[in-house]
């Protein structure tokens, strides 16, 4: 609920109508910024004020709304696209429950949680919502799926928000549906009808994406900055890498620390998970720390492999997963101090030598 009265009292009345526990959230943004959890009435006023300050600082808009808090939900979103000719289609769902501080870490499609019946209901609701809004473009309708306490099959889901853009995780939908969403977006913007009808879209196989960040998990995920002395993307069948970086680039403190997206596609979920883990192990980076070992630890975790991961999974398990991390492998044994260009050339030259070359003496 987004109340017209945006005063502290107005937000508090909205919380009373929705019922505790709630999330007080920024209307103008996402990524966990301007969001506060409120479980008790005594927490409400400080939470409202803190959320408004953060929203104003991050988005230059302090508008807040109130959302019912579902304990341990799954975050499942539906990719849709609509044209100016009355056509709205969905490209199935993405499971995005592996999150840290409300920022997605892994995304996959299909969701291991959904039954065919629930998938039909959710994708149908997403298409109806986009059509009712007269939407035109690619977008994502996000839902929270409530898992019953007894672990039985979920049947209830709740609208979360709509992202009126193409999201970071769109490649998993492209791979399972076999389409190019960016090309379709350009066609829609040019006034042309969608290039496919709903009945022609089917899910093929399983795709999963990992976000590779310049951050140091062992030091509390502190963002990293510095030169990419070595940055060798994995190249393997069924693996796609989206990045704007190359060896020799400087990772700045002024931008989001996302370095790359690594996406694996395979016939089954187990094969896709295995393929992604192998690709990440074959992604050496020198010069800065990355979260690659942490991503591999998640992929190898039994709960994740069983598909039993809700949105609070990393809140509960990050410490254990960080402890399980093993250092990322580097193709040549090279230790270089400093960050000058000569050192960079030395690293690149050695890393290009045959893998059978004996290790250099210390």
């Amino acid at each position: 609920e987004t109340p017209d009265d945006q005063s502290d009292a107005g937000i508090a009345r909205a919380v009373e109508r929705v019922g505790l526990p709630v999330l007080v959230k920024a209307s103008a943004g996402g990524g966990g910024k301007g969001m506060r959890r409120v479980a008790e009435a005594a927490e409400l006023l400080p939470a409202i004020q803190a959320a408004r300050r953060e929203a104003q600082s991050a988005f230059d808009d302090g508008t807040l709304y109130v959302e019912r808090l579902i304990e341990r939900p799954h975050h499942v979103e539906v990719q849709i696209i609509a044209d100016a000719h009355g056509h709205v289609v969905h490209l199935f769902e993405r499971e995005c429950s592996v999150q840290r501080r409300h920022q997605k870490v892994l995304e996959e499609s299909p969701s291991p949680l959904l039954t065919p019946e629930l998938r039909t209901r959710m994708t149908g609701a997403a298409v109806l919502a986009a059509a009712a809004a007269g939407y035109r473009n690619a977008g994502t309708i996000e839902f929270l799926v409530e898992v019953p306490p007894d672990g039985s099959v979920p049947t209830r889901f709740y609208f979360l928000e709509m992202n009126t853009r193409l999201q970071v995780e769109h490649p998993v939908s492209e791979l399972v549906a076999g389409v190019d969403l960016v090309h379709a977006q350009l066609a829609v913007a040019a006034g042309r009808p969608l290039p496919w009808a709903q009945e022609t879209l089917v899910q093929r196989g399983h795709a999963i994406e990992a976000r590779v960040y310049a951050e140091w998990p062992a030091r509390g995920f502190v963002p990293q900055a510095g030169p990419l002395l070595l940055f060798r993307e994995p190249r393997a069948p069924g693996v796609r890498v989206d990045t704007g970086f190359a060896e020799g680039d400087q990772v700045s403190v002024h931008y989001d620390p996302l370095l790359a997206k690594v996406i694996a596609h395979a016939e089954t979920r187990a094969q896709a998970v295995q393929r992604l883990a192998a690709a990440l192990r074959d992604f050496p980076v020198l010069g800065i720390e990355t979260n690659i070992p942490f991503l591999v630890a998640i992929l190898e975790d039994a709960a994740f492999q069983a598909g039993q991961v809700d949105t609070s999974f990393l809140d509960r398990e990050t410490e254990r997963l960080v402890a399980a991390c093993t250092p990322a492998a580097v193709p040549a044994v090279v230790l270089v101090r400093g960050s000058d260009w000569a050192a960079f050339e030395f690293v690149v030259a050695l890393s290009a030598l045959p893998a059978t070359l004996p290790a250099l003496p210390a």
Side-chain angles (χ1 to χ4, degrees):
E1 177 179 347
T2 306
D4 293 332
D5 182 356
Q6 284 287 309
S7 67
D8 292 351
I11 301 295
R13 285 191 291 272
V15 170
E16 185 177 351
R17 287 191 293 272
V18 172
L20 294 172
V22 299
L23 291 175
V24 178
K25 302 178 70 173
S27 178
K33 295 181 174 63
M35 180 164 68
R36 292 294 185 275
R37 182 183 187 277
V38 182
E40 299 178 3
E43 303 170 349
L44 181 55
L45 185 58
I48 292 171
Q49 295 172 347
R52 183 182 289 112
R53 286 194 302 270
E54 192 170 308
Q56 186 66 43
S57 175
F59 312 116
D60 196 29
D61 185 343
T63 304
L64 302 176
Y65 68 98
V66 177
E67 175 181 289
R68 176 74 179 182
L69 178 61
I70 308 300
E71 301 288 354
R72 293 198 174 187
H74 280 241
H75 184 156
V76 182
E77 60 193 27
V78 176
Q79 176 70 59
I80 61 95
I81 187 167
D83 62 23
H85 302 271
H87 305 127
V88 184
V89 302
H90 69 81
L91 291 97
F92 309 100
E93 83 284 354
R94 295 187 292 258
E95 171 80 45
C96 304
S97 297
V98 181
Q99 302 178 8
R100 183 180 166 274
R101 294 181 179 174
H102 307 288
Q103 183 66 50
K104 299 165 187 172
V105 177
L106 295 174
E107 302 100 348
E108 59 183 308
S109 182
S111 166
L113 179 72
L114 299 195
T115 62
E117 186 271 339
L118 186 54
R119 176 176 293 112
T120 298
R121 288 171 54 210
M122 289 182 66
T123 54
V127 168
L128 286 174
Y135 189 69
R136 175 189 172 195
N137 197 355
T140 305
I141 311 290
E142 305 201 11
F143 298 100
L144 293 179
V145 180
E146 186 175 14
V147 179
D150 61 3
S152 58
V153 174
T155 59
R156 301 178 68 181
F157 61 92
Y158 304 85
F159 173 77
L160 179 61
E161 63 185 2
M162 181 177 187
N163 280 295
T164 54
R165 55 182 169 82
L166 208 56
Q167 289 184 272
V168 172
E169 59 270 28
H170 79 273
V172 297
S173 295
E174 291 186 327
L175 289 171
V176 297
V179 302
D180 185 336
L181 276 168
V182 176
H183 183 272
Q185 217 178 8
L186 293 171
V188 166
R192 296 198 292 271
L194 288 173
W196 2 261
Q198 187 68 70
E199 57 269 19
T200 66
L201 296 168
V202 295
Q203 289 172 304
R204 294 183 176 90
H206 197 98
I208 181 168
E209 174 184 291
R211 303 190 187 196
V212 176
Y213 282 99
E215 61 185 15
W216 198 343
R219 299 280 181 90
F221 294 87
V222 61
Q224 300 288 286
L228 291 172
L229 302 180
L230 186 69
F231 189 81
R232 297 294 171 90
E233 302 169 22
R235 300 182 184 276
V239 174
R240 165 178 166 177
V241 179
D242 291 358
T243 182
F245 286 94
E247 270 181 13
D249 286 349
Q250 189 82 15
V251 178
S252 169
V253 299
H254 300 296
Y255 301 99
D256 187 277
L258 180 65
L259 295 177
K261 303 181 296 183
V262 182
I263 311 100
H265 184 225
E267 185 175 348
T268 67
R269 182 177 188 265
Q271 291 169 344
V273 170
Q274 185 178 39
R275 181 169 284 175
L276 180 56
L280 290 169
R281 288 195 188 92
D282 193 29
F283 194 170
V285 180
L286 286 178
I288 59 171
E289 296 288 339
T290 75
N291 68 332
I292 289 176
F294 182 67
L295 295 170
V296 173
I298 297 172
L299 292 167
E300 293 181 340
D301 184 76
F304 174 79
Q305 292 186 352
Q308 298 172 347
V309 173
D310 57 63
T311 57
S312 61
F313 170 71
L314 288 186
D315 294 336
R316 302 189 303 269
E317 303 294 344
T318 286
E319 186 175 344
R320 177 180 62 81
L321 291 167
V322 169
C325 290
T326 56
V330 177
V333 181
V334 180
L335 293 176
V336 177
R337 294 185 181 275
S339 58
D340 59 16
W341 189 252
F344 164 69
E345 290 181 325
F346 179 61
V347 169
V348 172
L350 284 176
S351 66
L353 292 174
T356 56
L357 187 73
L360 299 177

